Amino acid sequence: MTARARQIFAANLRRERKRLALSQEALGFRCDLNMSEISRLERSRRDPQLATIVKLANALGVPPSRLLEGIP
């Protein structure tokens, strides 16, 4: 994943988490990920794995494609 794609994913993830008024910790609990993993993803520090994207989307109640919107 390119740096730009990571930035877009990070912004999409943060937007959806904030839409539900969830903390990073609460989202992590919902999808069985550590809060620090959520933080790294939202700061574009880590490439998300496919399984992680699916877990996050399910926890946020959105299709995985919503987290990938705008990535060329």
Side-chain angles (χ1 to χ4, degrees):
M1 185 176 271
T2 66
R4 181 68 181 133
R6 276 193 306 274
Q7 290 172 344
I8 293 168
F9 176 84
N12 291 342
L13 175 58
R14 191 170 28 262
R15 178 193 69 227
E16 292 301 323
R17 178 178 63 79
K18 289 186 175 198
R19 178 181 61 82
L20 295 176
L22 292 173
S23 66
Q24 290 178 344
E25 184 177 20
L27 177 57
F29 182 77
R30 281 185 173 199
C31 60
D32 195 30
L33 292 173
N34 192 293
M35 180 186 80
S36 61
E37 178 71 7
I38 304 294
S39 175
R40 283 191 292 271
L41 290 167
E42 286 192 359
R43 290 181 294 129
S44 307
R45 301 278 194 247
R46 180 181 289 270
D47 283 343
Q49 300 295 312
L50 179 58
T52 302
I53 294 170
V54 171
K55 282 182 177 184
L56 289 165
N58 287 337
L60 293 166
V62 298
S65 61
R66 176 85 55 90
L67 298 177
L68 302 172
E69 283 179 354
I71 297 176

